[in-house]
Amino acid sequence: MANEIPFPLYHKNARKNTIQRALDTTLFFLLISLLFYRLLSLKTHGFVWLLAFLCESWFTFYWFLIVNAKWSPVDIKTYPQNLEPRFPELPTVDMFVTTADPVREPPIMTVNTVLSLLAVDYPADKLACYVSDDGCSALTFYSLVESSKFAKLWVPFCKKYKVQVRAPFRYFLEDPISISAPNFEFKEEWEKIKVEYEHLCLKIKEASRKSALCNLTHDFAVFANIETGNHPTIIKIIGENCEEDVPHLVYISREKRPKYRHHFKAGAMNVLSRVSGLMTNAPLMLNVDCDMFVNNPQVVRQALCQLVGRESERDMGFIQYPQCFYNATKDDPYGNQMVVLMEYIGRGIAGLQGPPYAGTGCFHRRKVIYGVWPDNAASINDYEAMKEFGKSEEFLESATHALKGEKGIRKSISDYLEASFQVAACDYEFGSSWGTKFGWIYGSMTEDVLTGLNIHKKGWKSNFHYLDPPAFLGCAPTGGPAAMTQQKRWATGLLEILVSKSNPIVFNLTGNLQFRLYLFYIYLLSWGLTSVPELCYAALPAYCIIANSHFLPKVQDPAILIPVAIFVTYNMLTLREYLKVDLSFRAWWNNMRMARITATSAYLFGVLTIVLKLLGLSDTVFDVTQKNDEASEDEDDDEINGTAKFTFDESPIFVPGTTLLLVHLTALLSLCLGLRPLVHKDAQGSGVGLGEVLCSLWVVLCFRPFMKGLFRIGKYGLPSSTIFKSTSLALVLVCLGTASWA
């Protein structure tokens, strides 16, 4: 009792998981049983049986990895009220916002994110907000300048009335009487600020329609004749905290030149860390995407509960908050809200060394980003090691202070403006270790996962923290093209890590990565690889019908109970997970079918991209996901009503799914017309059976959105070019299947 801390900051408690473990283990042993059955009967069957065995071997291994990740869930309880009694001098925090395209990421969205960060429940003089604009947009800069004026009204209002939702576009959706106790002063201020916000939105909208914003004079002159991929560094101090009421606000557009690689978001984050290191040098850093606003104003204090204190300083590298979405469509029709994934796998890996870095909604230690190992400060005074940070003497000095854990915010950030231009130059990293040994690590489009892996390799831990209400809310992709583009980018980036020297196999041999977290990273990085067995297994029923073969035991064979038990157990287990987190049966089904669609389309193209890259025939291209402006005037009625139809475009990403559907429809039609017998008499019962027919119907059911797309027009219908390509491929595959039977 004498050793207990009087003011605890957080507790991590193991969650009871008996039923879940039993179900997961049962399914695993059923999968093992099916593999043994396949092996014992492999000699009496042909290629189809072998292909099924290989696919099922992958599924069994993959399920083992999933069970490993889910096995040890924990709950984290924080006590922010104990922060100041233990640490009267709270640490400073630098907040980073990244945006790259003013068209796909509307500036009003970035503005709301920035305003929510400026208004968090934390001393304003201990905060600084840096916005990285990789699109080098005068419109984005103009929007931030105007929002900084509005922030002088918004931030005091939020703190005075303890506003819960501090992104204006969400806050003003509600009636003021339902938000706070109705009193004249509050209502008068509420109406005044709402008018000011509407005026801000109007000015930004009008500016976006002008061909020459503000005639590009004064502060905007630097944007004259700017090329997005070829321009000098632009750094503007929009708001400097002189009166200690609103945090610093700094705009940064790093230098870009065609002959230099800019490393996408990872490069932008490294520039942010260097510029902020010069200006404010806060020991803690928060980064969010431009579409992810603060939904819980206590989030900084909540994160600090796990980052400050002797024990936390020793081993806690970063705090990751789950991604939640404010534009979540009813029943998750595109399967991209990841609620169940976060709930079960997220909590499970929080019980291990910790979750991976997810790229947004994450609090980092600056010294961890700078490459420090736990309990190791030996290299802090090593001048040769410090030279790896680059050639700026001012930055080397700030990095030395950061590595020693010294305090951050300085008296005037404008004093370091000139030095900031140097560290934001595109040639600054030459001869340094940025992007290789420390900072955001280069080499993958999923730089977040690679950076987190690099941190975990050194032995640092992380935590996955759920808050109620959620800490941040973001914008989920809506529509098939946006969802598929995002999934393809993830699959490509994860596979880039898997085939690189940074893969976890090497890390596990040379670093301090815990074995079970190593298994989790194998699961995560293998998302794209699932496309190959998924596609093969999904095509097997149609092939068997066309070629008059079978890959399942016959109905009269007792062994048929094994695949039936697997099918029933898996679907009941996953349905239970969805119902336990208050999701509907429809949401479960949407996610199940989207898992099949994504694996056989987006993930497949991710694999093809990596193969072409390895062969030197192509390089990866970062596609910015289209974000929907919350104020969009052309929002569809079905999306407003909380439902959504699957949408398509002319991207080749929809060709594999359409082809697979057409092959199955052809196989079933040929069976119905009597062109293929249900059992091939001469093969002693070796022909197609009922199992293959039911599986084919299941695949068609999973790809029902594609079947609807065959008969719809506009964005809800499959383009004629996609149908033509898919029909041609389907005919070739059907002919090959028919030839194999003949």
Side-chain angles (χ1 to χ4, degrees):
M1 294 294 290
N3 294 327
E4 287 187 3
I5 298 175
F7 299 104
L9 295 180
Y10 82 98
H11 286 141
K12 181 185 286 189
N13 301 311
R15 175 184 282 192
K16 290 185 178 180
N17 198 31
T18 306
I19 296 177
Q20 188 71 35
R21 286 181 176 182
L23 292 172
D24 290 342
T25 305
T26 299
L27 180 56
F28 179 69
F29 279 109
L30 285 171
L31 289 166
I32 293 290
S33 301
L34 181 59
L35 292 182
F36 271 110
Y37 171 75
R38 293 278 188 201
L39 280 173
L40 294 174
S41 54
L42 198 58
K43 291 183 179 180
T44 59
H45 295 81
F47 170 75
V48 171
W49 207 262
L50 175 62
L51 183 59
F53 171 75
L54 294 175
C55 293
E56 289 159 359
S57 297
W58 173 262
F59 298 148
T60 303
F61 171 67
Y62 208 62
W63 183 251
F64 167 74
L65 297 179
I66 292 173
V67 172
N68 163 74
K70 294 162 58 179
W71 195 258
S72 307
V74 296
D75 291 315
I76 295 174
K77 174 69 174 176
T78 52
Y79 306 96
Q81 67 274 15
N82 293 340
L83 261 179
E84 279 155 306
R86 284 189 60 182
F87 302 97
E89 185 65 25
L90 294 174
T92 54
V93 180
D94 287 338
M95 305 178 291
F96 303 154
V97 180
T98 52
T99 182
D101 189 327
V103 176
R104 296 189 178 186
E105 298 172 334
I108 188 62
M109 182 180 290
T110 304
V111 162
N112 272 278
T113 297
V114 169
L115 288 171
S116 71
L117 289 169
L118 297 178
V120 293
D121 186 12
Y122 202 72
D125 62 317
K126 295 183 179 295
L127 295 173
C129 182
Y130 298 84
V131 181
S132 170
D133 176 21
D134 253 15
C136 196
S137 166
L139 176 61
T140 300
F141 175 63
Y142 171 79
S143 302
L144 291 172
V145 170
E146 294 301 317
S147 67
S148 69
K149 302 173 186 176
F150 175 73
K152 294 177 181 178
L153 298 174
W154 176 246
V155 173
F157 173 80
C158 289
K159 294 185 176 181
K160 178 179 179 180
Y161 294 105
K162 301 186 185 305
V163 171
Q164 179 62 42
V165 179
R166 300 193 178 184
F169 85 100
R170 299 295 293 179
Y171 177 75
F172 289 119
L173 290 177
E174 299 185 37
D175 184 81
I177 296 178
S178 65
I179 296 173
S180 178
N183 64 73
F184 179 77
E185 181 185 4
F186 167 76
K187 190 172 181 180
E188 186 178 42
E189 286 193 54
W190 187 92
E191 290 176 347
K192 174 186 174 183
I193 293 180
K194 185 176 185 233
V195 169
E196 290 293 332
Y197 176 68
E198 290 171 347
H199 184 53
L200 170 65
C201 293
L202 182 61
K203 285 195 291 186
I204 294 174
K205 184 175 293 187
E206 289 178 349
S208 67
R209 294 171 179 167
K210 294 179 180 179
S211 57
L213 181 64
C214 299
N215 297 319
L216 296 178
T217 58
H218 303 296
D219 283 343
F220 297 90
V222 292
F223 293 96
N225 302 317
I226 279 287
E227 297 179 33
T228 303
N230 185 15
H231 61 82
T233 298
I234 300 174
I235 301 177
K236 297 287 187 180
I237 299 174
I238 298 175
E240 186 167 1
N241 183 348
C242 298
E243 300 176 358
E244 299 187 357
D245 54 351
V246 179
H248 299 300
L249 178 59
V250 182
Y251 170 91
I252 303 170
S253 184
R254 59 187 171 130
E255 181 184 16
K256 284 188 179 180
R257 300 299 179 191
K259 64 179 181 179
Y260 292 97
R261 298 190 66 182
H262 57 81
H263 301 291
F264 308 114
K265 183 179 175 181
M269 292 301 300
N270 283 334
V271 169
L272 283 173
S273 63
R274 293 195 295 269
V275 172
S276 66
L278 284 169
M279 291 187 170
T280 48
N281 208 28
L284 301 176
M285 302 182 293
L286 162 67
N287 90 278
V288 296
D289 289 342
C290 64
D291 66 322
M292 182 161 282
F293 65 85
V294 176
N295 185 61
N296 189 323
Q298 287 282 316
V299 64
V300 177
R301 296 175 183 272
Q302 293 280 357
L304 287 181
C305 289
Q306 301 173 67
L307 288 169
V308 298
R310 186 181 63 84
E311 290 299 318
S312 296
E313 285 280 355
R314 186 174 59 83
D315 62 6
M316 191 63 65
F318 61 88
I319 304 299
Q320 178 65 61
Y321 285 91
Q323 293 190 35
C324 303
F325 306 101
Y326 63 83
N327 66 331
T329 310
K330 183 181 179 183
D331 297 329
D332 193 10
Y334 304 108
N336 55 15
Q337 295 172 24
M338 303 180 293
V339 175
V340 171
L341 180 72
M342 296 290 184
E343 177 66 23
Y344 289 92
I345 292 184
R347 289 188 188 275
I349 54 178
L352 307 179
Q353 192 176 344
Y357 168 38
T360 182
C362 187
F363 285 83
H364 297 273
R365 292 188 192 282
R366 186 178 291 271
K367 66 179 182 181
V368 174
I369 290 295
Y370 283 2
V372 167
W373 291 60
D375 294 329
N376 182 8
S379 63
I380 290 178
N381 295 315
D382 187 338
Y383 180 74
E384 291 300 320
M386 291 302 297
K387 286 173 65 177
E388 296 185 5
F389 284 91
K391 53 185 176 291
S392 168
E393 293 295 333
E394 292 92 340
F395 181 74
L396 292 181
E397 180 184 358
S398 76
T400 302
H401 290 310
L403 292 170
K404 290 180 178 179
E406 296 179 356
K407 295 180 181 179
I409 292 267
R410 307 181 182 190
K411 291 183 178 180
S412 176
I413 62 175
S414 57
D415 293 343
Y416 298 90
L417 186 58
E418 183 178 350
S420 296
F421 279 88
Q422 181 185 5
V423 299
C426 56
D427 63 346
Y428 179 79
E429 295 179 355
F430 280 7
S432 74
S433 294
W434 284 99
T436 54
K437 291 184 180 180
F438 50 78
W440 273 257
I441 307 301
Y442 303 149
S444 170
M445 285 197 291
T446 51
E447 78 296 320
D448 47 1
V449 175
L450 184 53
T451 301
L453 180 58
N454 188 57
I455 292 171
H456 280 140
K457 166 206 169 182
K458 296 172 181 174
W460 289 103
K461 296 180 181 179
S462 58
N463 265 348
F464 206 52
H465 193 195
Y466 292 80
L467 290 180
D468 186 18
F472 302 94
L473 288 180
C475 179
T478 57
M484 292 297 103
T485 296
Q486 184 183 69
Q487 294 287 348
K488 177 198 168 187
R489 186 176 71 241
W490 288 349
T492 303
L494 294 172
L495 286 172
E496 282 180 312
I497 301 173
L498 189 63
V499 301
S500 72
K501 63 181 181 180
S502 299
N503 70 76
I505 297 175
V506 175
F507 273 8
N508 197 49
L509 295 175
T510 61
N512 296 321
L513 196 65
Q514 291 181 4
F515 180 69
R516 286 184 60 194
L517 192 67
Y518 153 77
L519 292 178
F520 165 75
Y521 272 111
I522 294 294
Y523 152 76
L524 181 63
L525 301 181
S526 301
W527 276 9
L529 292 182
T530 60
S531 62
V532 178
E534 281 269 4
L535 185 60
C536 292
Y537 210 69
L540 270 178
Y543 173 82
C544 289
I545 294 173
I546 294 170
N548 198 32
S549 180
H550 71 103
F551 76 101
L552 292 172
K554 293 302 179 64
V555 175
Q556 61 271 22
D557 188 344
I560 190 64
L561 294 176
I562 300 177
V564 170
I566 290 173
F567 179 81
V568 173
T569 303
Y570 176 75
N571 284 289
M572 294 304 295
L573 187 156
T574 52
L575 177 60
R576 175 182 180 271
E577 290 179 342
Y578 278 79
L579 296 178
K580 280 183 69 66
V581 294
D582 297 324
L583 294 177
S584 65
F585 175 88
R586 181 76 181 197
W588 166 79
W589 169 244
N590 286 340
N591 278 260
M592 290 301 102
R593 67 172 174 77
M594 281 304 301
R596 309 287 79 76
I597 292 172
T598 301
T600 54
S601 55
Y603 289 178
L604 180 64
F605 271 80
V607 172
L608 293 176
T609 301
I610 293 302
V611 171
L612 292 175
K613 181 180 179 181
L614 292 175
L615 295 175
L617 300 176
S618 178
D619 200 0
T620 53
V621 177
F622 189 93
D623 296 316
V624 178
T625 306
Q626 176 70 51
K627 307 295 194 306
N628 288 336
D629 182 358
E630 66 279 350
S632 176
E633 295 177 355
D634 58 351
E635 193 172 16
D636 295 327
D637 291 337
D638 57 340
E639 292 175 356
I640 293 174
N641 295 329
T643 61
K645 299 174 184 177
F646 203 92
T647 58
F648 303 91
D649 64 7
E650 295 186 353
S651 169
I653 207 168
F654 296 108
V655 171
T658 308
T659 303
L660 187 63
L661 172 67
L662 292 175
V663 170
H664 276 278
L665 290 176
T666 303
L668 291 171
L669 182 62
S670 66
L671 191 66
C672 293
L673 296 177
L675 301 178
R676 290 288 179 273
L678 190 61
V679 176
H680 188 39
K681 303 295 185 182
D682 298 333
Q684 298 179 352
S686 64
V688 63
L690 181 62
E692 287 72 30
V693 176
L694 293 177
C695 286
S696 185
L697 289 170
W698 179 258
V699 173
V700 171
L701 190 60
C702 288
F703 284 82
R704 186 165 173 257
F706 284 71
M707 188 160 62
K708 289 181 177 180
L710 291 171
F711 306 101
R712 287 176 173 167
I713 59 175
K715 68 177 183 179
Y716 299 118
L718 285 162
S720 56
S721 60
T722 301
I723 296 176
F724 175 77
K725 295 173 186 175
S726 300
T727 303
S728 302
L729 283 172
L731 286 173
V732 172
L733 294 174
V734 169
C735 290
L736 290 174
T738 305
S740 66
W741 181 38

